[in-house]
Structure formats: C-alpha cells, structure tokens
C-alpha cells in the first residue's frame, strides 16, 4: 500500500476522523504485512489495540457518562470563578468619561460672573514665573498620564492572560 495513503489515514485516525472501513484498512496493513521503519510505533499501537480487542469485551461502567459530565461542569465552574471580571475596567473607564462630560457641561452652562466687556487679565506679571508655573502643571499632567498608562499596561497583561486561559479551555474542548 502507498505510504502517503497510510500517512493520510494515520493522521485522520489520530485526529479521530476515520470511519470503520478506514480503520479496518489500517488494521489490516499493520497486522498483515511488514511495515516501514517510520511506521514501527504505529504498528505497535495497532498490535496492542488488536490484542486488547481479542482479549475481552469492554463495557462502560455504570454512571461513567454522568461522572464525566459532572467533572466537566466542575472544571467550567472553577475556570469561571478564577476568571477576572472585565466589567470592573469598563466601570472605571465609564466613570472617568462621565466625570469629564459633567465637568464640560458645568463649564459650558455655568453662568459667567464676569462682565462681558472686561478683558481677561494675566495671572503673572513676570514671564519667568509664568513659565515655571506652566512647567509644573505640565509635569503634574505627565505624572498623571504615566500612572494611567501603567494601569492600562496592567489591564492589557490581565487581558492577555485571560485570553490565553480561554484559548486553553477552547483547545481542551476540541
């Protein structure tokens, strides 16, 4: 028999995609003929399966399906219990957005107590003092921005780890 056909059937067999006829072809090939060295491990597998098949009939123990189902349910509950909640991040972000909207609304609709004819006055007479105050304000802003970036990086790491766990669970179900 063609080795490419055997490779293809073995791949299907190990993926659980073969039907009874294809399994019979593989069984006949490995039990009835000399096989190439690359298939020696597979031959051992089929010899063992054949001997087990001949020795006894297997029966599924009573309640096995229920026990397996209960274990799967328990594992799903454990994985859900260990999963961090995404909504907390959304809660914080939406709270900050709401605060910004409220501040903008207050600044736009708050009555202006100044005379409309009065011009805006400078708060500093000395340009050097104005520069220093601006620099301090920008430094405070940069620190606040860096704190926010650090929290976003932490949230990103949590998101990546959760995605990996979800992928692992998805791969287990396949």
């Amino acid at each position: 028999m063609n080795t490419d056909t055997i490779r293809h059937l073995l791949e299907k067999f190990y993926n659980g995609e073969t039907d009874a006829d294809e399994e019979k072809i593989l069984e006949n090939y490995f039990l009835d003929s000399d096989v190439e060295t690359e298939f020696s491990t597979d031959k051992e597998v089929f010899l063992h399966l054949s001997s087990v098949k001949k020795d006894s009939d297997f029966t599924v123990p009573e309640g096995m399906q229920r026990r397996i189902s209960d274990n799967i349910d328990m594992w799903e509950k454990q994985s859900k219990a260990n999963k961090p909640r995404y909504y907390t991040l959304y809660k914080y972000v939406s709270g900050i957005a709401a605060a910004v909207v409220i501040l903008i609304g207050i600044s736009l609709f708050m009555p202006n107590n100044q005379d409309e004819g009065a011009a805006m006055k400078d708060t500093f007479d000395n340009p050097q003092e104005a520069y220093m105050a601006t620099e301090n304000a920008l430094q405070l802003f940069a620190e606040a921005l860096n704190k926010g970036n650090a929290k976003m990086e932490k949230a990103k790491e949590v998101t990546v780890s959760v995605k990996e766990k979800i992928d692992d669970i998805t791969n287990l179900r396949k």
Side-chain angles (χ1 to χ4, degrees):
M1 180 163 279
N2 187 355
T3 58
D4 290 333
T5 306
I6 295 299
R7 277 192 204 104
H8 177 70
L9 287 175
L10 280 173
E11 183 177 337
K12 284 178 69 176
F13 177 78
Y14 288 126
N15 288 331
E17 299 170 351
T18 54
D19 57 21
D21 294 332
E22 292 171 330
E23 288 178 15
K24 191 66 176 167
I25 292 170
L26 284 171
E27 186 177 338
N28 290 338
Y29 175 76
F30 286 114
L31 298 179
D32 294 340
S33 65
D34 293 328
V35 297
E36 294 185 27
T37 56
E38 70 177 291
F39 298 130
S40 62
T41 306
D42 300 310
K43 181 173 183 163
E44 290 178 27
V45 169
F46 277 92
L47 286 173
H48 180 70
L49 288 175
S50 175
S51 67
V52 168
K53 187 191 249 185
K54 290 176 185 175
D55 288 345
S56 64
D57 288 332
F58 287 104
T59 58
V60 176
E62 188 95 12
M64 177 65 88
Q65 183 176 1
R66 182 186 48 78
R67 290 193 314 240
I68 291 173
S69 178
D70 290 344
N71 281 337
I72 290 172
D73 291 341
M74 181 185 64
W75 293 331
E76 284 180 357
K77 286 178 185 176
Q78 287 175 349
S79 68
K80 287 179 183 177
N82 294 335
K83 189 187 308 184
R85 305 283 184 219
Y86 283 115
Y87 68 87
T88 56
L89 176 64
Y90 294 124
K91 188 169 54 173
Y92 291 125
V93 171
S94 63
I96 292 170
V100 169
V101 168
I102 289 171
L103 289 174
I104 290 173
I106 288 173
S107 68
L108 289 177
F109 297 110
M110 193 169 188
N112 196 358
N113 292 334
Q114 295 179 351
D115 294 340
E116 292 188 28
M120 298 208 36
K121 292 196 263 179
D122 286 335
T123 54
F124 292 97
D125 294 331
N126 185 353
Q128 188 65 24
E129 289 177 23
Y131 177 78
M132 293 301 286
T134 304
E135 192 172 66
N136 286 338
L138 289 175
Q139 184 64 32
L140 288 173
F141 178 76
E143 290 172 6
L145 186 63
N146 287 338
K147 284 182 185 178
N149 284 342
K151 294 202 183 240
M152 290 302 290
E153 281 296 321
K154 185 176 180 182
K156 183 179 178 182
E157 292 173 6
V158 169
T159 303
V160 168
S161 68
V162 168
K163 183 183 182 314
E164 290 173 355
K165 289 180 183 178
I166 289 173
D167 289 343
D168 289 343
I169 290 171
T170 303
N171 289 338
L172 284 176
R173 288 187 180 171
K174 290 181 181 178

